[in-house]
Amino acid sequence: MTTTPISAVRGMNDVLPEAGEAWDFLERTVLRCLRQYGYRPIRMPLVERTELFVRSIGEVTDIVEKEMYTFTDRLNGDSLTLRPEGTASCVRAALEHNLLYAGPQRLYYLGPMFRHERPQKGRYRQFHQVGVEALGFSGPDIDAEVIIMCARMWRALGLSDVSLELNTLGDPQARARYRARLVAYLERHCNALDEDSKRRLHANPLRVLDSKNPAMQEIVERAPRMADDLDEPSLAHFEAVQAALRRAQVGFTINPRLVRGLDYYNRTVFEWLTGKLGAQAAVCAGGRYDGLVEHLGGKPAPACGFAMGVERLIALLEAERVTIPTRVPDCYVVHQGDAAADFAWQVCERLREQTLSVILHCGGGSFKTQLRKADASGARYAIVIGEDEARAAKVGLKPLREAAAQMLVDVDEVADLVVGVRRLSGAHDGSR
Ligand code: ATP
Ligand code: MG
């Protein structure tokens, strides 16, 4: 029988252990920041009713028109979809469980999202987002908070090539006024519009401004700006967001063409961009969506949030040559003989009890081969256990990263010695 290997699905990636270290670093750094600001975890299913995304993201969008992984439940015929983003699910969950009855909620989630796009660098079919949704907050302070929190995350990650673009979309009436002007403008240039834009011209004209087609850039560039249509309260809100960012010394530029083509988005929109990843420049995007909760059947509640693209941030860590703190084991335990093996087990568990990270050699072999493995593991110490040590209930402690002799010590001395050295060398990133 021939067995051909089976490969992963196109656009869906494995993260191997070396890259996994960077992923772990990113996740724990970002989660630490989220916790510092009082955001709490929420986890939603990867599969939702298709209707949820159609209703929240909107029918005339790239995502709903062509990017969703939709299938029919084979038993009851329901149309289901692998989530292409998290906001809709998060709001659905908050409504389903009445979270907002207890007051405003600061929430975050992270995990895979699925979009059937053309795979390329920084654009995949399964990709990961860290998403944040602040539900029930109406003031500009929360817009500023989520943005300032992003800035702190970039600093904590060691990233510097990220810049902030901001815009405001005003209230729904302002958008309606702007929309009418925009449609009139686009109709005048109808011949120059590409197919997508023609289709969107009436259904979702703001999305035309989002076009990635280079041939459309001139039209987009010359399109009327929203500024003239904006309402006073939205302008004041936007001013307050900017003032808070200035006070926090978070730099930004205003990009009047930054839009979200969905009706429930309003007021603040923002994007964090990098110059280091080519066309896939957006690492994080967000804004205010005061209309969505009501649109999904809840009592009206304002909201603001963002989603960051983990793969793009990982690529940026690499592009900026950020050193990823790797976690090496404290000890690697080598042993020979039955009594030594039994004792080695006890030693390992004892040391783990004392919070050390310990690898127990498995698979036998001479002390020489075992010590080679110990060295390759990156561990700071080898713990050597032969028949003599087992009989004396002691261990040989052998420093692997400095020229020092092996010492015979009590098991209970090991942790002190190892932790002392760990503190002195500052070898750990202190996150455990
Ligand atoms: P883009 O304009 O790059 O298609 P988008 O507007 O579709 O992005 P959002 O839906 O706002 O993106 O998602 C937020 C973030 O998630 C993006 O800024 C990006 O970092 C990341 N992201 C979106 N789609 C993908 C994808 N297919 N592969 C990898 N990351 C993605
Ligand atoms: Mg997209």
Side-chain angles (χ1 to χ4, degrees):
M1 194 176 84
T2 55
T3 46
T4 32
I6 297 167
S7 59
V9 174
R10 189 163 125 85
M12 308 207 177
N13 302 310
D14 301 305
V15 177
L16 301 180
E18 198 169 327
E21 298 282 358
W23 279 68
D24 266 16
F25 166 67
L26 185 140
E27 285 174 7
R28 65 177 187 268
T29 307
V30 164
L31 293 198
R32 200 187 302 141
C33 281
L34 285 162
R35 293 308 195 125
Q36 285 188 288
Y37 284 81
Y39 285 76
R40 298 184 64 210
I42 182 166
R43 298 184 189 224
M44 300 82 64
L46 301 195
V47 175
E48 298 274 0
R49 292 178 193 286
T50 305
E51 178 60 19
L52 176 69
F53 303 116
V54 175
R55 212 199 295 176
S56 63
I57 298 168
E59 236 150 331
V60 192
T61 55
D62 280 349
I63 293 182
V64 171
E65 280 181 338
K66 48 192 183 198
E67 295 176 0
M68 294 205 303
Y69 281 90
T70 295
F71 58 96
T72 307
D73 183 291
R74 71 172 79 182
L75 276 185
N76 62 14
D78 284 354
S79 179
L80 305 177
T81 293
L82 291 180
R83 65 180 188 192
E85 54 107 51
T87 303
S89 309
C90 184
V91 170
R92 191 233 358 105
L95 292 179
E96 194 163 336
H97 304 284
N98 297 323
L99 293 189
L100 289 171
Y101 283 18
Q105 300 282 323
R106 289 179 166 92
L107 304 170
Y108 74 84
Y109 49 83
L110 80 176
M113 307 293 161
F114 303 85
R115 295 184 193 176
H116 203 284
E117 304 198 63
R118 193 170 67 77
Q120 52 197 293
K121 193 167 170 285
R123 193 175 289 287
Y124 309 104
R125 291 180 173 173
Q126 174 177 312
F127 64 99
H128 295 72
Q129 287 182 339
V130 177
V132 162
E133 320 292 348
L135 306 179
F137 297 91
S138 60
D141 44 3
I142 204 83
D143 310 37
E145 176 180 283
V146 297
I147 293 172
I148 290 166
M149 180 167 69
C150 287
R152 180 174 295 285
M153 289 171 182
W154 314 144
R155 272 200 309 281
L157 288 168
L159 297 175
S160 49
D161 194 319
V162 247
S163 55
L164 174 63
E165 290 192 353
L166 273 188
N167 193 20
T168 181
L169 301 176
D171 69 9
Q173 292 74 37
R175 303 234 346 220
R177 286 192 293 275
Y178 176 61
R179 192 187 144 116
R181 275 206 305 141
L182 182 63
V183 169
Y185 164 83
L186 293 172
E187 277 173 340
R188 281 199 303 280
H189 295 84
C190 194
N191 291 336
L193 298 182
D194 63 12
E195 282 313 306
D196 272 347
S197 302
K198 276 187 187 140
R199 226 161 9 88
R200 284 178 189 163
L201 175 55
H202 294 283
N204 195 350
L206 261 70
R207 270 272 145 166
V208 174
L209 301 182
D210 230 4
S211 170
K212 306 254 183 337
N213 181 354
M216 289 284 302
Q217 293 317 302
E218 201 184 320
I219 293 214
V220 168
E221 195 63 40
R222 297 228 203 108
R225 303 281 165 94
M226 182 135 201
D228 306 335
D229 300 297
L230 288 173
D231 53 299
E232 263 319 307
S234 292
L235 280 170
H237 185 101
F238 195 40
E239 263 313 315
V241 174
Q242 293 175 57
L245 296 180
R246 277 189 215 101
R247 281 195 300 275
Q249 300 188 317
V250 172
F252 57 86
T253 53
I254 303 220
N255 175 358
R257 281 176 306 280
L258 185 61
V259 294
R260 304 248 140 211
L262 318 181
D263 284 343
Y264 57 79
Y265 272 100
N266 63 319
R267 294 196 170 170
T268 320
V269 285
F270 64 90
E271 224 164 61
W272 290 93
L273 302 160
T274 177
K276 288 217 150 56
L277 297 179
Q280 270 53 258
V283 293
C284 177
R288 185 162 271 288
Y289 50 93
D290 293 338
L292 183 59
V293 172
E294 184 179 20
H295 193 68
L296 288 179
K299 224 171 83 200
C304 181
F306 65 79
M308 57 175 85
V310 175
E311 281 80 356
R312 292 185 194 176
L313 286 166
I314 295 285
L316 188 56
L317 284 171
E318 198 177 325
E320 293 209 39
R321 298 184 191 290
V322 173
T323 314
I324 307 300
T326 51
R327 304 202 218 188
V328 292
D330 295 308
C331 308
Y332 190 105
V333 177
V334 303
H335 54 92
Q336 202 144 51
D338 291 344
D342 282 352
F343 185 49
W345 269 103
Q346 293 172 38
V347 169
C348 286
E349 288 304 328
R350 175 96 193 100
L351 295 178
R352 289 171 187 144
E353 204 65 34
Q354 297 171 319
T355 77
L356 295 193
S357 58
V358 183
I359 298 180
L360 173 62
H361 180 82
C362 289
S366 67
F367 268 134
K368 195 168 158 207
T369 34
Q370 292 191 37
L371 282 168
R372 255 206 306 273
K373 288 264 162 59
D375 197 40
S377 77
R380 241 169 294 287
Y381 285 92
I383 289 185
V384 183
I385 303 178
E387 300 293 338
D388 292 347
E389 285 85 0
R391 208 171 305 119
K394 290 187 180 258
V395 301
L397 186 65
K398 182 178 164 61
L400 294 173
R401 309 296 148 204
E402 55 185 300
Q406 184 172 321
M407 301 173 279
L408 190 65
V409 300
D410 276 340
V411 178
D412 284 333
E413 290 177 273
V414 172
D416 274 352
L417 289 164
V418 170
V419 171
V421 168
R422 198 204 286 158
R423 269 199 213 105
L424 275 179
S425 64
H428 280 252
D429 65 354
S431 56
R432 23 177 242 192

